[in-house]
Amino acid sequence: MVSEIAENQELIAQSVRDLSERLIRPNVRQWDESQYFPADLFRQLGEQGLMGMLVPEAYGGSGLGYREYVTAIVELSRVDGAVGLSMAAHNSLCTNHILLFGNEAQKEHYLPRLATGEWLGAWGLTEPNTGSDAGNMRTTAVRDGDDWVLNGAKNFITHGRSGQVAVVIARTGEPNTPHNATAFIIERNTPGFAGGKKEDKLGMRASETAELIFTDCRIPDSQRLGVVGDGFVQSLKVLDGGRISIAALSLGIAWGAYDAALAYAQERQQFGQPIANFQGISFKLADMATDVEAARLLTYQAADLKDEGKTVTKQSAMAKLFASEAAVRVANEAVQIFGGYGYIKDFPVEKFYRDAKLCTIGEGTSEIQKLVISRQILK
């Protein structure tokens, strides 16, 4: 079994590496500068099985585990973190929420479309005024006969405009009370549901981030995911896996920045020799390599525990915390090694530097990860 996993992992790594070099690398700078979201690319990723990696084959997915899934995110993110981010959000948030908590009719209807890349998924939890204070969310869903009526807005949503379907968590009880939120599946053409402002971001600019807006948006009760009041509990379980995705995204960005710096340090000549020969540079590379390896070990440990069906709350938070902060450190040092060239767009490390920072914020800031970890170890 171990050798089979290793073989699958290597096949996926090589396949995604080849795909990234062919379809993504030639377009990285153009997509980034224009904030172009390459929707057609994700349909191609779906054809390759990358948009439903965790979805069972019975629902049109690849039926793979977290180790293989992490490998795919890493390889995409070594070339372009924005593509890795969109692929991860689609798989681990929207699609995975339906997979984990949808009833059979919901799974049969939505998962094949999401897993093949025919539809792109969004996931709405964060709001403009609440952030991590999800218990106080202002987006509400009010029961009206056999329907629910949603009003409010979500922000910082990946695929907020382009996603054909969104899983949205809305408050169905009083603010700051237990079990006061419920999850719903909402299709793009539903009256009263619209995409709002697209954010102009520092990094990850080819991954679309926008608002979701609900104005008297009426949906049938059949679009409810799970039990009324269970939405936040569901979200925490979804985020356990999502943090592994962000750890993988961080690992890929760190690895890409390290690869670029290592190659440059061996090519760049100063005082008649490669700058890698100077201790100041070689020690930076040593620290970067150590950060990448430690992030890799933590990320794959969390993925393996997830595949074994074990609780991963602590391990996923640790992986996400360390890998995201490591990505920032490694990207920073990569810019330093490139010197002035690291500060211009002709070279790749300035983009890794901009992209890395989001990893310490999205799906729970570093401070939230420390809160999660401390609660786990102080039980």
Side-chain angles (χ1 to χ4, degrees):
M1 182 63 180
V2 173
S3 61
E4 183 180 331
I5 291 173
E7 184 178 350
N8 277 345
Q9 187 180 339
E10 183 50 43
L11 286 172
I12 288 167
Q14 189 58 56
S15 174
V16 178
R17 205 173 294 143
D18 293 344
L19 181 151
S20 298
E21 291 297 327
R22 181 165 48 90
L23 299 179
I24 300 173
R25 193 179 295 280
N27 300 299
V28 169
R29 184 171 176 181
Q30 177 192 344
W31 291 347
D32 179 71
E33 291 186 352
S34 63
Q35 292 201 86
Y36 174 74
F37 176 64
D40 288 343
L41 170 68
F42 294 96
R43 281 187 277 275
Q44 292 176 284
L45 295 186
E47 291 170 3
Q48 299 299 314
L50 298 179
M51 299 300 277
M53 295 194 73
L54 303 171
V55 175
E57 293 180 19
Y59 298 113
S62 300
L64 297 170
Y66 266 79
R67 177 168 275 268
E68 292 88 353
Y69 170 50
V70 160
T71 299
I73 297 173
V74 169
E75 292 299 334
L76 290 172
S77 305
R78 286 176 71 178
V79 175
D80 190 347
V83 174
L85 173 62
S86 274
M87 179 269 202
H90 171 91
N91 273 275
S92 68
L93 298 179
C94 177
T95 304
N96 201 38
H97 199 139
I98 296 172
L99 176 63
L100 290 175
F101 299 106
N103 58 39
E104 193 58 31
Q106 290 167 340
K107 291 179 183 179
E108 288 179 357
H109 182 71
Y110 290 107
L111 290 180
R113 291 174 170 85
L114 290 164
T116 57
E118 177 188 349
W119 280 11
L120 197 64
W123 192 73
L125 176 64
T126 301
E127 296 189 359
N129 297 302
T130 59
S132 298
D133 183 16
N136 196 32
M137 69 176 66
R138 297 183 182 180
T139 299
T140 60
V142 177
R143 189 73 182 255
D144 183 18
D146 292 331
D147 295 340
W148 292 87
V149 180
L150 277 74
N151 282 283
K154 302 288 182 177
N155 73 333
F156 300 143
I157 307 303
T158 304
H159 313 143
R161 284 184 174 181
S162 297
Q164 285 84 4
V165 62
V167 172
V168 177
I169 295 83
R171 183 164 56 78
T172 49
E174 293 301 314
N176 294 316
T177 58
H179 303 286
N180 71 344
T182 304
F184 300 91
I185 307 172
I186 309 177
E187 294 184 21
R188 175 60 61 183
N189 59 2
T190 304
F193 173 36
K197 175 189 173 185
K198 180 179 177 180
E199 303 295 347
D200 187 1
K201 299 177 296 183
L202 170 71
M204 304 287 198
R205 291 168 61 82
S207 178
E208 180 187 88
T209 304
E211 294 176 310
L212 300 177
I213 299 173
F214 306 95
T215 307
D216 294 329
C217 178
R218 181 177 292 270
I219 57 172
D221 187 55
S222 60
Q223 297 301 103
R224 171 171 48 85
L225 270 167
V227 178
V228 173
D230 210 24
F232 189 57
V233 174
Q234 293 175 12
S235 298
L236 291 177
K237 293 177 181 177
V238 169
L239 285 169
D240 275 349
R243 285 166 180 153
I244 298 174
S245 299
I246 301 301
L249 173 66
S250 305
L251 171 58
I253 291 170
W255 202 340
Y258 167 72
D259 281 343
L262 180 64
Y264 182 80
Q266 295 175 91
E267 296 166 1
R268 171 72 166 165
Q269 297 277 327
Q270 289 283 274
F271 305 104
Q273 57 184 311
I275 62 172
N277 289 354
F278 299 113
Q279 190 177 80
I281 300 298
S282 65
F283 278 16
K284 286 183 185 299
L285 291 168
D287 286 338
M288 294 161 73
T290 302
D291 264 341
V292 170
E293 183 66 9
R296 186 185 70 82
L297 291 170
L298 277 169
T299 302
Y300 278 101
Q301 178 198 47
D304 288 342
L305 289 172
K306 185 72 173 173
D307 282 337
E308 292 166 10
K310 296 180 179 177
T311 301
V312 296
T313 302
K314 181 180 74 173
Q315 284 79 10
S316 65
M318 285 181 168
K320 197 270 190 189
L321 171 64
F322 184 86
S324 63
E325 295 289 347
V328 172
R329 289 193 297 271
V330 171
N332 181 61
E333 291 289 44
V335 171
Q336 198 70 15
I337 288 171
F338 271 76
Y341 293 112
Y343 204 67
I344 61 176
K345 293 182 180 292
D346 291 337
F347 293 85
V349 292
E350 69 86 28
K351 182 177 183 300
F352 286 123
Y353 183 76
R354 289 185 288 108
D355 287 350
K357 188 56 190 172
L358 179 68
C359 298
T360 70
I361 298 169
E363 295 197 34
T365 62
S366 293
E367 290 74 20
I368 290 293
Q369 305 313 312
K370 291 177 182 180
L371 180 64
V372 171
I373 295 164
S374 62
R375 286 178 174 173
Q376 290 294 309
I377 64 179
L378 293 170
K379 278 183 175 179

